[in-house]
């Protein structure tokens, strides 16, 4: 039935199947798109963002001028101060609402920067990291700094220029803590682009060395920036993390069969691959550099492909990979999943997300999370009633036969589940035996009582009369004393003739 359901994947599982064209930028440039960029690639998204921002800046200045004119006219017409303030404030609130909806830079941020900075300072003071965390971060920062300095020495003059640009960027970012995370992300993306262009045009560095240098630059600056830009308090990243975590917990009952996952964990080698894939996706949260987080996603994906290949004994397809990735995410429930995805999107070198296997696997992970958030009964080929009962915890899917039993990632847990099933069956047998024994005991008692009553009834109806013992009869061969009158016995005679 699973094979038949897979054949109808497009019609029944609209959320699982994703064409390769859907992963690409919707502008048709050929690079991978991203849900965080509304389906555009990094390059096209920045172009669209700049256009929208320039348009918004123009509209903001026009609004500011119009508000200023209205305020002057209000005062000129001798309106009350309270009335003029309420008019200006209502316009300002309307604009503020529009700004939150569009999430773009406005002139309002210029006027409220000091208050926002003060509020952010209070939040940071209230949520100051513990000394142990600070020491750990310092040790890693010092190690990365030493490795970066050793690396740029191999580039000689271009390396000195890279180091100078990085120090300038870090100093600039330290004065931009009050900016929104989107603006800080744009600063980082501009920096990546400027350094890459500088190495290629000014220093004529070969492309492969430029890519390697950019990886080291990203590692150096993001290790230092991590605690400021990962899941900042000014965003709703933490709220999204908790929502996704709660959603995955509510879907704990989803089985591989429901997702048509082509992986058999009965095979020890496949089970090991599944465990490694879950470990990799969980390990992503422990990394500080976007490229290292991407590497965890890539390792996880390769373990998935190997597990599918071993199970099917043939290379895995995209239709096999995405459902299995969804299953791994549901099984692992990675910590701070949305924060990690947002951090990679905002601060990873954009070239890594636009092309290559890292970009492909990251785009698939974004699709998997989006599918989990929108998962419904039709996606799992269930009735709405069953889906609702499973989600509310009223019941759970019935266990299949041993050949299709949904195993856990750990062999010990799997054996424990089988032992529990066996104990449950033995308990049912024991209860049945005790019930039958009690029934047999009752039947024996009833039978004894019935026989006793029948005997009593017969004895009562036909009383037993006991006669005296009669005289014993004489034996045939004994001496017959009383019958002397009997003729003597015949004597044998000799016949003479």
């Amino acid at each position: 039935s699973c094979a038949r359901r897979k054949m109808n994947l497009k019609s029944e599982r609209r959320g699982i199947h994703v064409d390769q064209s859907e992963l690409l930028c919707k502008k048709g440039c050929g690079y991978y798109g991203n849900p965080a960029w509304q389906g555009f690639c990094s390059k096209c998204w920045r172009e669209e963002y700049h256009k929208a921002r320039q348009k918004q800046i123009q509209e903001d200045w026009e609004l500011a001028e119009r508000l200023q004119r209205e305020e002057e006219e209000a005062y000129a017409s001798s309106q009350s101060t309270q009335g003029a303030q309420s008019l200006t404030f209502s316009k300002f609130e309307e604009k503020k609402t529009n700004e939150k909806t569009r999430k773009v830079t406005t002139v309002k941020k210029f006027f409220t920067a000091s208050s926002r900075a003060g509020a952010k300072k209070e939040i940071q003071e209230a949520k100051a990291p513990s000394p142990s965390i600070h020491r750990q971060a310092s040790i890693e920062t010092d190690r990365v700094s030493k490795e970066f300095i050793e690396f740029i020495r191999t580039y000689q003059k271009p390396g000195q220029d890279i180091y100078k640009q990085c120090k300038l960027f870090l100093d600039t970012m330290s004065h931009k803590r009050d900016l929104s995370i989107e603006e800080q992300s744009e600063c980082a993306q501009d920096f990546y682009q400027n350094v890459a262009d500088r190495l290629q045009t000014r220093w004529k560095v070969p492309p492969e060395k430029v890519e390697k240098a950019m990886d080291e630059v990203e590692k150096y600056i993001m290790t230092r920036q991590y605690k400021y830009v990962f899941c900042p308090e000014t965003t709703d990243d933490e709220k999204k993390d908790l929502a996704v975590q709660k959603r995955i917990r509510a879907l704990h009952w989803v089985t591989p069969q429901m997702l048509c996952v082509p992986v058999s964990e009965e095979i020890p080698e496949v089970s090991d691959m599944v465990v490694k894939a879950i470990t990799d996706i969980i390990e992503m949260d422990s990394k500080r550099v976007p490229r290292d987080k991407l590497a965890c996603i890539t390792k996880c994906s390769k373990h998935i492909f190997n597990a599918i290949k071993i199970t099917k004994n043939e290379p895995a397809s995209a239709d096999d990979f995405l459902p299995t990735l969804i299953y791994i995410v549901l099984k692992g429930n990675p910590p701070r999943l949305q924060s990690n995805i947002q951090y990679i999107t905002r601060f990873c070198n954009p070239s890594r997300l636009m092309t290559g296997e890292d970009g492909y696997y990251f785009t698939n992970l974004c699709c998997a999370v989006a599918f989990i958030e929108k998962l419904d009964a039709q996606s799992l080929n269930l009735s709405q009633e069953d889906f609702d009962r499973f989600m509310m915890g009223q019941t759970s899917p019935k266990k299949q036969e041993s050949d299709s039993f949904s195993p856990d990632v750990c062999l010990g847990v799997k054996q424990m589940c089988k032992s529990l099933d066996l104990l449950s069956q033995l308990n049912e047998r024991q209860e049945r035996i005790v019930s039958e024994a009690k029934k047999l005991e009752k039947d024996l008692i009833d039978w004894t009582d019935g026989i006793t009553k029948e005997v009593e009834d017969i004895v009562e109806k036909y009383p037993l009369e006991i006669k005296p013992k009669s005289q014993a009869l004489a034996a045939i061969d004994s001496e017959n004393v009383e019958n002397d009158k009997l003729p003597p016995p015949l004597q044998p005679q000799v016949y003479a003739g």
Side-chain angles (χ1 to χ4, degrees):
S1 60
C2 185
R4 187 163 55 253
R5 279 156 46 194
K6 274 189 78 176
M7 291 175 62
N8 298 329
L9 192 62
K10 287 188 177 180
S11 60
E12 295 181 359
R13 305 289 178 82
R14 65 185 188 281
I16 296 181
H17 178 76
V18 176
D19 291 329
Q20 294 301 300
S21 59
E22 297 178 20
L23 302 179
L24 300 177
C25 175
K26 65 181 183 180
K27 202 170 182 179
C29 64
Y31 294 120
Y32 290 119
N34 193 300
W37 299 324
Q38 300 179 8
F40 292 103
C41 69
S42 176
K43 181 180 178 182
C44 296
W45 167 248
R46 284 165 62 79
E47 292 176 357
E48 296 293 327
Y49 178 80
H50 279 297
K51 290 179 183 177
R53 188 178 64 170
Q54 292 300 326
K55 181 180 179 182
Q56 188 60 41
I57 290 175
Q58 182 63 29
E59 292 177 357
D60 291 341
W61 280 112
E62 292 175 359
L63 174 67
E65 292 175 357
R66 187 170 72 252
L67 292 177
Q68 183 67 23
R69 284 197 306 270
E70 291 176 357
E71 187 176 359
E72 292 174 355
E73 291 172 0
Y75 280 112
S77 60
S78 301
Q79 290 185 356
S80 66
T81 304
Q82 183 178 0
Q85 289 178 346
S86 64
L87 174 63
T88 306
F89 184 74
S90 63
K91 295 284 186 180
F92 184 75
E93 285 296 305
E94 178 183 355
K95 189 60 189 174
K96 181 179 177 182
T97 303
N98 294 335
E99 287 171 342
K100 287 186 177 180
T101 303
R102 287 189 290 264
K103 291 185 178 180
V104 294
T105 308
T106 64
V107 71
K108 172 235 177 190
K109 295 178 181 177
F110 173 77
F111 294 109
T112 60
S114 59
S115 61
R116 286 175 57 197
K120 183 175 179 62
K121 185 176 180 181
E122 292 177 0
I123 294 174
Q124 289 178 343
E125 289 176 354
K127 295 186 176 182
S130 64
S132 61
I133 296 177
H134 179 71
R135 284 195 299 270
Q136 182 180 0
S138 299
I139 293 173
E140 185 173 356
T141 301
D142 293 341
R143 179 181 59 80
V144 170
S145 298
K146 291 178 181 178
E147 291 176 356
F148 182 66
I149 292 174
E150 291 177 0
F151 171 78
I152 62 174
R153 284 175 180 171
T154 61
Y155 279 64
Q156 298 178 352
K157 287 187 177 180
Q160 295 177 4
D161 188 31
I162 293 173
Y163 185 73
K164 181 180 178 182
Q165 295 296 323
C166 289
K167 297 293 288 184
L168 181 62
F169 171 76
L170 292 173
D171 183 63
T172 302
M173 291 299 292
S174 65
H175 296 90
K176 293 185 176 183
R177 303 281 182 237
D178 57 332
L179 293 180
S180 68
I181 195 65
E182 286 79 13
E183 291 172 314
Q184 294 185 59
S185 170
E186 187 181 1
C187 290
Q189 300 294 331
D190 288 338
F191 174 72
Y192 289 142
Q193 187 64 45
N194 292 336
V195 171
D197 292 343
R198 195 178 185 92
L199 288 173
Q200 289 178 350
T201 58
R202 179 177 179 180
W203 299 105
K204 309 299 180 183
V205 178
E208 62 275 5
K209 294 193 68 176
V210 171
E211 183 178 356
K212 187 174 182 181
M214 293 308 300
D215 289 340
E216 294 298 325
V217 167
E218 177 189 323
K219 180 179 178 181
Y220 175 64
I221 66 171
M222 293 317 303
T223 300
R224 290 178 168 271
Q225 292 293 306
Y226 178 79
K227 62 181 179 180
Y228 304 111
V229 297
F230 182 85
C231 192
E233 296 90 346
T234 55
T235 67
D236 58 352
D237 290 353
E238 185 176 2
K239 182 179 178 181
K240 291 179 180 178
D241 287 334
L242 295 175
V244 171
Q245 189 177 65
K246 183 178 179 181
R247 175 69 171 172
I248 293 176
R249 285 177 177 173
L251 295 170
H252 66 90
W253 49 267
V254 176
T255 64
Q257 288 76 25
M258 293 178 181
L259 294 168
C260 273
V261 174
V263 167
S264 174
E265 294 181 73
E266 296 289 338
I267 305 172
E269 191 175 358
V270 173
S271 179
D272 291 342
M273 291 293 178
V274 171
V275 172
K276 289 179 180 178
I278 293 175
T279 303
D280 289 332
I281 198 70
I282 291 176
E283 188 182 5
M284 174 178 64
D285 186 60
S286 66
K287 305 298 182 181
R288 302 179 70 181
V289 183
R291 181 169 63 92
D292 293 342
K293 292 182 181 291
L294 274 180
C296 290
I297 299 174
T298 299
K299 287 193 295 183
C300 168
S301 301
K302 289 184 175 180
H303 287 312
I304 290 174
F305 272 107
N306 288 335
I308 297 173
K309 182 179 180 181
I310 295 171
T311 302
K312 299 180 65 178
N313 199 21
E314 62 181 21
S317 65
D319 287 341
D320 294 331
F321 171 67
L322 186 57
T324 311
L325 178 60
I326 293 168
Y327 171 66
I328 293 297
V329 173
L330 288 176
K331 292 287 288 183
N333 197 357
R336 300 192 292 185
L337 183 56
Q338 283 287 8
S339 289
N340 281 287
I341 290 176
Q342 291 292 337
Y343 176 69
I344 292 171
T345 301
R346 292 165 181 160
F347 296 101
C348 185
N349 188 348
S351 63
R352 282 197 170 272
L353 300 184
M354 293 163 62
T355 58
E357 62 178 8
D358 287 345
Y360 173 75
Y361 295 136
F362 178 71
T363 305
N364 274 276
L365 177 62
C366 294
C367 291
V369 175
F371 171 82
I372 291 172
E373 291 174 339
K374 297 183 294 185
L375 186 142
D376 55 14
Q378 185 178 356
S379 302
L380 297 174
N381 199 26
L382 296 173
S383 65
Q384 189 63 43
E385 293 76 13
D386 289 342
F387 181 82
D388 293 338
R389 284 200 299 268
F390 294 156
M391 289 297 291
M392 295 173 66
Q394 295 177 351
T395 183
S396 61
K398 294 181 179 179
K399 293 191 180 296
Q400 308 294 322
E401 299 298 328
S402 59
D403 57 343
S404 59
F405 175 75
S406 174
D408 289 288
V409 294
C410 179
L411 292 176
V413 174
K414 175 183 171 184
Q415 185 62 40
M416 182 187 68
C417 291
K418 290 184 177 180
S419 299
L420 289 174
D421 289 339
L422 181 59
L423 287 173
S424 178
Q425 295 173 14
L426 291 174
N427 186 46
E428 292 177 0
R429 288 180 59 186
Q430 180 69 16
E431 291 178 354
R432 189 165 60 248
I433 291 172
V434 171
S435 177
E436 293 292 337
K438 289 181 178 180
K439 185 175 181 296
L440 178 60
E441 182 182 14
K442 184 176 181 301
D443 290 344
L444 287 173
I445 294 173
D446 293 343
W447 178 78
T448 304
D449 293 343
I451 295 297
T452 303
K453 187 174 183 306
E454 289 181 6
V455 170
E456 290 175 351
D457 291 343
I458 292 173
V459 170
E460 184 180 355
K461 186 174 181 181
Y462 306 101
L464 181 63
E465 296 180 0
I466 301 177
K467 297 179 179 182
K469 186 176 181 182
S470 61
Q471 189 176 359
L473 297 176
I476 295 177
D477 296 333
S478 66
E479 294 293 334
N480 194 347
V481 181
E482 298 178 358
N483 298 323
D484 295 336
K485 297 179 180 181
L486 290 174
L490 297 176
Q491 295 296 326
Q493 297 179 2
V494 179
Y495 180 67

